[in-house]
Amino acid sequence: PRVQPALAGGTLNVKSADALRSELRFVRRPAGAVVSRVAMTGAGQVVPDERVLAEPGAVEVRGALHPWLRAWVLVFDHPYYAATSADGAFALDSVPPGSYTLHVWHERLGVSSQPVTVAAGQATTVTVRLGAGASAADPTPPNSTPPADPASR
């Protein structure tokens, strides 16, 4: 996938679908520090890497040999994240009751944030609009630890 969310502290398994040699650079944004380089030599090869998921933040994936190749790994220090389906739908499971700020990030359309209140035992539905009004100045998605007090989220 072009955008892949993940929980910090794990291992990212990088799988090649290309029969030719390829090399990926994983770059932490916005700082620009290269976190890892992964070289692969054939289709189906899997290379585990723990450096990419070592800390929360946005990691841009770029092809060192194929400059058009680009993707993102968004690393979170909490379990409340999701990638949308093809129709833009998403679900967050087991969110404790409380008031939160929902941040939505798109690599071209920017960041949109809105308040959301989750009630105990009920599904919460939100409609997110990207485009006009979204902040496109920073390509880095927001990433923060939810506070322990639900009232301050």
Side-chain angles (χ1 to χ4, degrees), residues 38-87:
V38 175
M40 296 171 288
T41 57
Q45 180 181 8
V46 177
V47 178
D49 191 298
E50 295 178 358
R51 294 169 290 192
V52 175
L53 304 182
E55 63 183 75
V59 178
E60 184 180 18
V61 184
R62 298 302 298 247
L65 304 175
H66 310 293
W68 59 87
L69 191 151
R70 183 179 187 195
W72 292 88
V73 179
L74 307 180
V75 185
F76 295 92
D77 57 0
H78 57 80
Y80 307 112
Y81 56 83
T84 60
S85 62
D87 67 355

Side-chain angles (χ1 to χ4, degrees), residues 4-149:
Q4 178 68 52
L7 190 59
T11 299
L12 181 69
N13 289 314
V14 183
K15 183 176 180 181
S16 175
D18 197 342
L20 301 175
R21 181 179 180 279
S22 61
E23 182 180 327
L24 299 176
R25 287 185 323 237
F26 294 83
V27 180
R28 183 145 331 266
R29 294 294 180 207
V34 176
V35 176
S36 184
R37 291 181 184 266
V38 175
M40 296 171 288
T41 57
Q45 180 181 8
V46 177
V47 178
D49 191 298
E50 295 178 358
R51 294 169 290 192
V52 175
L53 304 182
E55 63 183 75
V59 178
E60 184 180 18
V61 184
R62 298 302 298 247
L65 304 175
H66 310 293
W68 59 87
L69 191 151
R70 183 179 187 195
W72 292 88
V73 179
L74 307 180
V75 185
F76 295 92
D77 57 0
H78 57 80
Y80 307 112
Y81 56 83
T84 60
S85 62
D87 67 355
F90 68 94
L92 299 174
D93 294 328
S94 304
V95 177
S99 294
Y100 302 90
T101 299
L102 175 68
H103 301 283
V104 178
W105 175 84
H106 186 279
E107 66 181 312
R108 290 189 196 106
L109 300 176
V111 176
S112 177
S113 300
Q114 68 187 64
V116 176
T117 300
V118 176
Q122 297 179 0
T124 302
T125 302
V126 297
T127 300
V128 176
R129 303 223 187 278
L130 288 171
S135 169
D138 184 359
T140 306
N143 191 10
S144 61
T145 303
D149 177 13

